[in-house]
Amino acid sequence: MPNIKSAKKRVIVNQTKAARNKSAHSALKTAIKKAHIAADTNAADKEAVVKFAVKKVDQAAAKGLIHKNNAARKKSALAKLLNK
């Protein structure tokens, strides 16, 4: 455990940010998983689900959670899945 006040604060801030990032990452993975399931089962709302997943991917890239090329790859895969 750090002794310096600023180091103590950094520990707390890092824990908060890590929790926020983990939550956002989990939401992203869940949205992508739901899109895959909707496309595989040919659900009626599959376009809306895929559109939501693409939105989540864009948000994650904008926040710096994932790299822009990773986001582009995920979006491309979702589009390919929808058009299949």
Side-chain angles (χ1 to χ4, degrees):
M1 189 68 193
N3 294 323
I4 300 167
K5 186 177 180 181
S6 62
K8 289 179 183 178
K9 182 178 179 184
R10 292 304 324 153
V11 168
I12 294 168
V13 169
N14 285 338
Q15 286 174 342
T16 305
K17 288 185 177 184
R20 187 180 300 133
N21 287 340
K22 188 173 184 179
S23 173
H25 224 352
S26 177
L28 173 65
K29 286 168 67 176
T30 303
I32 291 172
K33 200 177 291 184
K34 284 183 179 178
H36 278 276
I37 291 169
D40 288 343
T41 60
N42 204 12
D45 63 339
K46 70 179 179 180
E47 288 183 23
V49 175
V50 170
K51 188 175 179 182
F52 179 75
V54 168
K55 181 181 176 184
K56 283 288 187 187
V57 169
D58 283 335
Q59 287 175 343
K63 290 179 183 175
L65 202 62
I66 59 174
H67 193 271
K68 63 176 186 154
N69 291 351
N70 189 342
R73 190 173 70 245
K74 288 183 189 304
K75 287 167 54 175
S76 174
L78 286 169
K80 192 183 287 187
L81 188 73
L82 183 64
N83 293 331
K84 185 171 76 169

